[in-house]
Amino acid sequence: MSLLFLIAGFAGRHWRAYASAGAMLVGIAVLTVWIPRRVGAIIDGLVAGRGAGPALWQELAILVAMGVVIYFLRVGWRLRLFSAAFRLGVELRTQLYRRLSLQGPPFFHRQRTGDLMAHATNDVDAVEMAAGEAFLAAFDGTLTLVLVVAMMTLGVDWRLGLVALLPFPLMAGAFYLISRRVHEAWRRSLDRFSDLNGHVQETVAAVRTLRALGLEKRAGRDFAQRAQDAAQAGYDAQRWESAYEPAVGLTLTAATVLTLALGGWLVWQDELTIGMLTAFTMYLGQLIWPMFAAGWVFSLIERGKAAWARLDPVLRAPLSMADEGTRALPPSGTLRFDRVTFRYPATESESVDDVGFELAPGRTLGIVGPTGSGKSTLLHLLLRHYTPQAGTIAWDGVPVTEFRLEALRGALAWVPQEPFLFSATIADNVALARADATRDEIVSAAKMADLHADVLRFVHGYDTRVGERGVTLSGGQRQRVAIARALLSDAPLLLLDDALSAVDTGTEGRILAHLRQARVSAKGRSRARTGPEARSAEDSPMRSAIIVSHRLSAVADADEIVVLAHGRIVERGDHEALLRLSGWYAAQWRYQQLARSLEADAEAEA
């Protein structure tokens, strides 16, 4: 879709605002071209010895009244127009946000956060200006040009009008050449700004790493170079934009010289009055605005086209994960992976190869294995961040592709390896999935995540703001906030993706004990209920859990444990069965227990 088509469609939807602004501009143009004619008539009357006294003051009062009306009409059309143009900016930003929120990880792997931020700021602003100022400036300039030329040629003298228009084809050619340069210059400027934006976002996010490695000066030089490149690109764009003004000035100067030469000769020949020549000269001065408007419009249009060329592909990019499901998720059901195989686009080998398992409601599955064995990939496939090339993932016998993405992900409480916290309070971050949660419920979830004691150490308790990405909290505290958030949600399936890696073994043990206690109490309540209460238990089913971990102690109490290696299941069973196999799991268990024992002895000696 082209920029002009976008603006035309928007103007069609908001035609009342554009029509009223256009009507006001018509009134401004008519009054503006009428003023020189009144002035010419006044001058001719004074030259002829008439029109003095009260009649002159009346004419002057009329001119002042016209000026006041023009002033209010100009204020009115700007209010009407820009209120509509701002709505286009809101629509584009909303559309961009919704599109980005539906995209999956593959899309964001190709895009930089800084680039996307530039799309939502500079690019949308440029399109908004093209739909606002450029649209009405083009209408106003064209209307004024037509009326002024008509008054010059038909209302004053056609010979002067033709002579005054002789230099204008040269200006049109200059505008054509300049506009091509402006488009390229603004495209480079927007690209450089986007690059600078992305660099700032990355360096601010990695400021601790830069300081730890002593790279502040090098990062500063890199930033200074990028800032210089962005400034130079912006300067080049402004320099080419400024070329419009000399073209307009030379054209109007040439037209003025030709007009005064011919007009003076016609006055000398008594074929033109002084008042008519004065009026014509005023009309010629009024051509300044249409000419400058043309340059301004060309500049805004080219800037908007360059911005739209960057923004449109993002808005039209196909969703990396199609949301074509129509079914709602059942309250409970068995999760089944059936011979699932998946390979990342940039790899040559399968990250998950012929994996199959089942997870019944209320049970816990542990997934372990060496680094890069495909553990986290299984969770990403379940969350439908990616689509497997073979096999199916089903919930209660229904493939997950048949469920709405919102329904599927709403049934999964996911705690990723690197949890994200918003710049809000601890309570707000815990209650992210349940905004209506009471403070007692928040505290209860925090206690289960072994977070409550830490929160009480803060001066403001649960009302403590955690800073951007939770910068004021330790890694373990951030993970426990994310775990509390997941436990507070109503999702029937809990996914812990190495979510205990940043906590010590003692804290890990307390969290796992709380989770076991919650499962036991849930089973007890389910068995105790009969009749109508059993229906209530169905509405709030026991929570299942999938725990991915490098620490085998985190999955030791799981109902079933699968061991992955190179994307395939090489061992499976409960903790005791895997120890009897004397395979990878048993060897790793002995190693981790030994390391834990040595760590405990070192702490005791200290």
Side-chain angles (χ1 to χ4, degrees):
M1 180 171 60
S2 67
L3 175 65
L4 295 180
F5 185 79
L6 170 73
I7 296 175
F10 177 78
R13 295 195 304 272
H14 300 277
W15 65 270
R16 290 183 177 85
Y18 279 87
S20 59
M24 294 179 193
L25 285 173
V26 170
I28 292 170
V30 170
L31 292 175
T32 300
V33 299
W34 185 252
I35 288 176
R37 190 164 183 87
R38 299 286 300 184
V39 172
I42 292 172
I43 292 175
D44 283 340
L46 293 175
V47 171
R50 51 185 172 77
L56 176 60
W57 288 109
Q58 183 178 356
E59 291 290 342
L60 293 176
I62 293 174
L63 293 177
V64 171
M66 287 183 176
V68 172
V69 172
I70 290 174
Y71 170 80
F72 282 106
L73 288 177
R74 289 193 182 278
V75 172
W77 78 258
R78 281 176 169 80
L79 290 176
R80 291 292 291 165
L81 170 67
F82 291 126
S83 63
F86 290 153
R87 284 198 291 271
L88 175 60
V90 172
E91 288 182 11
L92 286 177
R93 288 187 174 93
T94 303
Q95 184 180 354
L96 176 63
Y97 178 81
R98 288 176 178 171
R99 194 67 178 178
L100 294 180
S101 65
L102 294 175
Q103 292 288 5
F107 172 84
F108 293 101
H109 291 167
R110 302 188 301 268
Q111 300 284 340
R112 298 175 63 188
T113 303
D115 293 337
L116 298 177
M117 292 172 61
H119 291 326
T121 52
N122 270 25
D123 292 345
V124 172
D125 285 342
V127 174
E128 183 182 297
M129 291 285 286
E133 288 198 33
F135 192 90
L136 264 295
F139 176 79
D140 186 22
T142 302
L143 180 62
T144 302
L145 176 65
V146 170
L147 291 177
V148 168
V149 171
M151 293 299 292
M152 289 166 59
T153 55
L154 302 178
V156 180
D157 190 282
W158 65 272
R159 293 167 295 181
L160 285 177
L162 292 179
V163 168
L165 295 177
L166 287 177
F168 281 82
L170 297 177
M171 186 188 71
F175 273 19
Y176 173 75
L177 297 176
I178 295 171
S179 64
R180 296 178 60 184
R181 298 285 189 176
V182 166
H183 178 83
E184 290 299 319
W186 273 114
R187 182 187 61 79
R188 288 193 299 271
S189 178
L190 291 171
D191 287 343
R192 294 292 182 273
F193 176 81
S194 181
D195 180 65
L196 178 64
N197 212 27
H199 177 73
V200 171
Q201 187 272 331
E202 288 180 350
T203 53
V204 170
V207 64
R208 291 183 175 179
T209 302
L210 294 174
R211 288 175 179 171
L213 298 176
L215 300 177
E216 299 96 322
K217 291 184 178 180
R218 192 173 78 179
R221 289 194 298 270
D222 191 13
F223 171 80
Q225 183 60 50
R226 293 172 187 266
Q228 177 62 34
D229 292 342
Q232 183 62 44
Y235 171 76
D236 291 341
Q238 295 290 346
R239 184 177 62 181
W240 279 110
E241 275 192 358
S242 66
Y244 286 118
E245 185 172 346
V248 172
L250 291 174
T251 300
L252 290 178
T253 299
T256 302
V257 171
L258 293 174
T259 297
L260 290 178
L262 179 59
W265 185 81
L266 291 175
V267 171
W268 182 262
Q269 297 297 320
D270 289 332
E271 296 182 22
L272 193 71
T273 65
I274 295 178
M276 294 175 67
L277 180 59
T278 302
F280 190 91
T281 304
M282 294 181 66
Y283 282 129
L284 195 61
Q286 288 185 349
L287 285 180
I288 294 177
W289 159 240
M291 297 304 101
F292 276 112
W296 181 233
V297 168
F298 276 120
S299 175
L300 291 179
I301 290 296
E302 295 304 329
R303 187 188 308 184
K305 287 169 63 177
W308 184 244
R310 289 163 38 85
L311 184 60
D312 187 46
V314 178
L315 295 174
R316 296 168 62 88
L319 295 179
S320 54
M321 186 58 62
D323 187 8
E324 299 174 350
T326 57
R327 303 182 61 163
L329 221 67
S332 64
T334 298
L335 176 67
R336 178 181 176 86
F337 275 62
D338 186 13
R339 308 196 68 176
V340 173
T341 299
F342 172 73
R343 175 192 297 178
Y344 287 101
T347 61
E348 297 181 355
S349 60
E350 283 76 12
S351 298
V352 173
D353 188 6
D354 198 32
V355 170
F357 58 80
E358 289 187 359
L359 178 64
R363 296 177 69 82
T364 298
L365 173 71
I367 303 177
V368 297
T371 301
S373 58
K375 304 184 296 296
S376 296
T377 300
L378 289 176
L379 300 188
H380 288 298
L381 293 174
L382 176 57
L383 288 159
R384 291 201 65 201
H385 292 164
Y386 302 94
T387 301
Q389 283 87 19
T392 59
I393 304 173
W395 187 306
D396 198 29
V398 180
V400 293
T401 53
E402 297 186 15
F403 298 120
R404 298 192 307 273
L405 277 177
E406 181 181 3
L408 174 65
R409 292 171 181 170
L412 306 175
W414 177 44
V415 184
Q417 295 180 18
E418 298 180 2
F420 186 93
L421 301 187
F422 290 88
S423 183
T425 66
I426 294 176
D428 290 336
N429 274 283
V430 172
L432 184 63
R434 280 188 55 198
D436 60 341
T438 64
R439 181 55 62 92
D440 289 340
E441 290 174 324
I442 293 172
V443 171
S444 176
K447 288 180 178 178
M448 290 186 64
D450 201 45
L451 177 68
H452 182 65
D454 287 25
V455 174
L456 294 182
R457 295 191 186 101
F458 293 112
V459 175
H460 300 291
Y462 283 89
D463 295 320
T464 301
R465 300 192 70 85
V466 301
E468 187 175 4
R469 293 177 175 265
V471 68
T472 60
L473 303 181
S474 68
Q477 289 170 337
R478 288 196 294 271
Q479 281 193 335
R480 282 176 283 162
V481 170
I483 293 172
R485 174 194 299 165
L487 295 175
L488 184 62
S489 72
D490 296 323
L493 178 55
L494 176 65
L495 307 178
L496 300 180
D497 188 1
D498 210 13
L500 301 173
S501 60
V503 301
D504 58 73
T505 54
T507 302
E508 176 194 86
R510 289 191 294 272
I511 294 175
L512 293 174
H514 292 156
L515 293 177
R516 286 194 298 270
Q517 183 180 0
R519 285 189 59 219
V520 170
S521 60
K523 288 181 179 179
R525 288 194 303 270
S526 177
R527 295 189 183 118
R529 289 176 180 174
T530 58
E533 292 183 355
R535 175 65 61 184
S536 176
E538 284 185 333
D539 294 337
S540 301
M542 293 178 294
R543 172 171 286 172
S544 307
I546 298 179
I547 302 177
V548 171
S549 179
H550 285 93
R551 288 182 182 172
L552 302 189
S553 56
V555 299
D557 291 323
D559 297 293
E560 183 180 19
I561 304 169
V562 296
V563 180
L564 296 180
H566 304 292
R568 299 182 66 89
I569 296 179
V570 294
E571 301 175 35
R572 68 190 316 160
D574 60 16
H575 175 68
E576 298 298 332
L578 291 176
L579 289 180
R580 288 193 297 269
L581 286 177
S582 298
W584 181 92
Y585 183 91
Q588 193 70 10
W589 174 263
R590 288 192 296 269
Y591 171 79
Q592 291 186 8
Q593 290 299 107
L594 177 60
R596 186 171 181 176
S597 176
L598 294 174
E599 182 180 316
D601 291 342
E603 290 179 358
E605 292 178 1

